Amino acid sequence: MRHRDSVPAGAGKQVEVGTVGSCGTLAGQRRRAKQELSCGEVFDDVSLGLGIGATTAVFSVIYATLMNPYPYPAADRIVRLTVHSKANSSDGINLNGPQIKQLQQLHSVEGVLAMDYDAMNLTGHDLPENVNTISLISNGFHDLGVPPIAGRELLPSDAPDGQEPQPVVVLSYKFWQKHFFGDRAALGQTLQLDQKNYVIVGVAAPRFTWYSADVFLPLKLMQAPSRRYIIDILLKPGVTRDAANAEFR
């Protein structure tokens, strides 16, 4: 498995995977706001705000460039956590498992769409094939409002805290068509990735192309506390930007 430092978002746009200071909590990040981050900029007034304008622009780009994009029912509530520099630039930040757990408890947050992006190999055949995988938090499909076209989505029981995730996989529609010719008999079959067997439990909707994944695995959120994950946030209905920002300050 090869972890990538940049993530293709939607229509192939590169979203750089950033880092935050070596603090363990969101409050700790605020206390260390003046320190120099890995990007080389010094942040003197870090607001762990939700940058609705920037995130809405990301979805606008996806909608403008993709043919027949998926109609996320809550697209206007999916936002990104950002920090703002002296130069007025915004940078997305990644969070580790304990920080994501904190985020999930906030009043303005309905769900956290945490994920990790990896390149894996489809093995068990004559020649290995590169596969783009998204390890997605277990509530991800539900919060995005994306029901599977066959089988089921990833569930909380697939990745209980303190345990290894279950070896299950949801296929993208394109991958399903390419490798299984759209046959529903693929459900329950085994897919081998990096020489490990995964049971196919579902197939995503045809228009769902979240981060251009070929397959979706349960995210191992709490097994590596120091590892940071790409996040988007689903705000609760009716929560304004000002209300969300106030909760993060």
Side-chain angles (χ1 to χ4, degrees):
M1 182 182 294
R2 298 188 301 277
H3 178 65
R4 298 192 176 186
D5 293 325
S6 60
V7 181
K13 182 180 178 182
Q14 290 293 317
V15 179
E16 293 301 316
V17 177
T19 58
V20 294
S22 58
C23 43
T25 65
L26 296 175
Q29 289 177 14
R30 289 198 293 270
R31 287 194 299 270
R32 292 164 175 81
K34 294 180 185 291
Q35 73 181 27
E36 183 172 347
L37 301 185
S38 63
C39 61
E41 293 188 82
V42 177
F43 293 82
D44 64 341
D45 184 19
V46 174
S47 168
L48 293 177
L50 301 180
I52 287 180
T55 305
T56 299
V58 170
F59 272 85
S60 297
V61 169
I62 294 172
Y63 276 32
T65 58
L66 286 181
M67 293 182 62
N68 198 29
Y70 193 87
Y72 297 102
D76 60 334
R77 295 192 285 121
I78 300 173
V79 297
R80 182 149 298 165
L81 193 65
T82 61
V83 291
H84 302 278
S85 71
K86 289 180 178 178
N88 252 356
S89 64
S90 320
D91 294 283
I93 64 172
N94 297 348
L95 300 179
N96 60 32
Q99 291 168 332
I100 290 168
K101 288 292 186 181
Q102 278 188 281
L103 197 60
Q104 290 171 328
Q105 302 305 311
L106 297 182
H107 175 75
S108 57
V109 174
E110 181 171 320
V112 179
L113 304 168
M115 69 203 82
D116 207 0
Y117 182 86
D118 290 282
M120 300 178 73
N121 287 313
L122 180 64
T123 50
H125 301 276
D126 292 337
L127 294 173
E129 177 184 337
N130 187 64
V131 176
N132 295 324
T133 70
I134 287 288
S135 294
L136 184 64
I137 197 167
S138 55
N139 58 283
F141 280 93
H142 176 270
D143 285 350
L144 286 168
V146 184
I149 194 173
R152 66 169 177 85
E153 61 195 41
L154 298 177
L155 301 173
S157 58
D158 293 328
D161 289 345
Q163 300 180 32
E164 284 290 323
Q166 295 297 307
V168 296
V169 61
V170 172
L171 308 180
S172 71
Y173 182 84
K174 183 178 179 180
F175 187 92
W176 179 52
Q177 291 290 326
K178 177 181 177 180
H179 291 275
F180 296 94
F181 308 103
D183 189 351
R184 287 176 177 259
L187 297 175
Q189 291 190 33
T190 297
L191 187 74
Q192 191 178 97
L193 299 171
D194 286 353
Q195 300 182 339
K196 178 179 177 179
N197 290 332
Y198 295 83
V199 177
I200 300 168
V201 297
V203 179
R207 296 165 66 183
F208 181 63
T209 56
W210 190 254
Y211 282 72
S212 302
D214 293 316
V215 301
F216 299 89
L217 306 173
L219 179 65
K220 187 178 178 178
L221 184 62
M222 298 298 290
Q223 293 297 297
S226 62
R227 186 159 184 171
R228 300 186 185 277
Y229 303 101
I230 307 156
I231 62 164
D232 293 287
I233 298 167
L234 179 66
L235 296 179
K236 289 180 180 177
V239 172
T240 66
R241 178 187 178 184
D242 287 345
N245 281 344
E247 192 167 21
F248 283 96
R249 290 186 187 278

